Amino acid sequence: MQASNLSPFVVWLAAAKYLIAAADEKKLDILYFDGESVFETPELREKHPYYIHGYEYELDLPAPVTGIAFFCTAKEDKKYRVSPCMAFFRRQLLLKNSIRFIDGILHEDNAFNFACLMSAERVWHTAEKFYFRLVRTGSVMTSTKSFFHVYGYLTCLQ
């Protein structure tokens, strides 16, 4: 049966089971996966071409690596993505290191993801696509940049 014939919940459940099993089998702190962009309009696709392949990373890791090693490799490959929607995080990693999102700012995922990577001992990536990103008008990433965008980035940097 094709995925398009299944209910979204059944597809989500199958993906979650696969990711949980992979994370447990490899004893991962973080399991990253890929995604695909869906554009609200053809104009958005033209205006934001980065998102066409921005959530794909053809990284073949034979074994888990440290978070720092993964960060360095992803930055070098120009494929570092901060979206926590594209990862499974071991709850114990977050609790042990008191990692939380910063409330009240834009781009809070930057600080969250970086803190997770700097603390993680076992990180792995699969190129399987489990995330669909709707690129839409008026989102934080497609809207005109403002003081709040800069403030969010500066807060994360701090």
Side-chain angles (χ1 to χ4, degrees), residues 92-157:
Q92 193 57 37
L93 172 76
L94 305 178
L95 294 174
K96 177 183 171 188
N97 297 287
S98 300
I99 300 172
R100 296 187 167 284
F101 287 96
I102 301 170
D103 287 332
I105 65 166
L106 299 179
H107 309 295
E108 69 280 3
D109 43 358
N110 285 271
F112 176 85
N113 196 59
F114 186 76
C116 288
L117 279 172
M118 295 303 106
S119 303
E121 294 176 21
R122 296 182 60 82
V123 176
W124 193 67
H125 171 267
T126 178
E128 300 256 3
K129 294 180 181 178
F130 290 107
Y131 176 65
F132 291 92
R133 162 83 194 288
L134 175 62
V135 180
R136 62 180 181 79
T137 303
S139 74
V140 170
M141 297 308 294
T142 62
S143 64
T144 303
K145 303 308 174 223
S146 69
F147 165 81
F148 298 105
H149 290 84
V150 175
Y151 179 76
Y153 283 130
L154 288 175
T155 302
C156 290
L157 183 60

Side-chain angles (χ1 to χ4, degrees), residues 2-4 6-16 130 132:
Q2 293 182 345
S4 61
L6 299 173
S7 78
F9 178 75
V10 171
V11 173
W12 176 87
L13 189 59
F130 290 107
F132 291 92

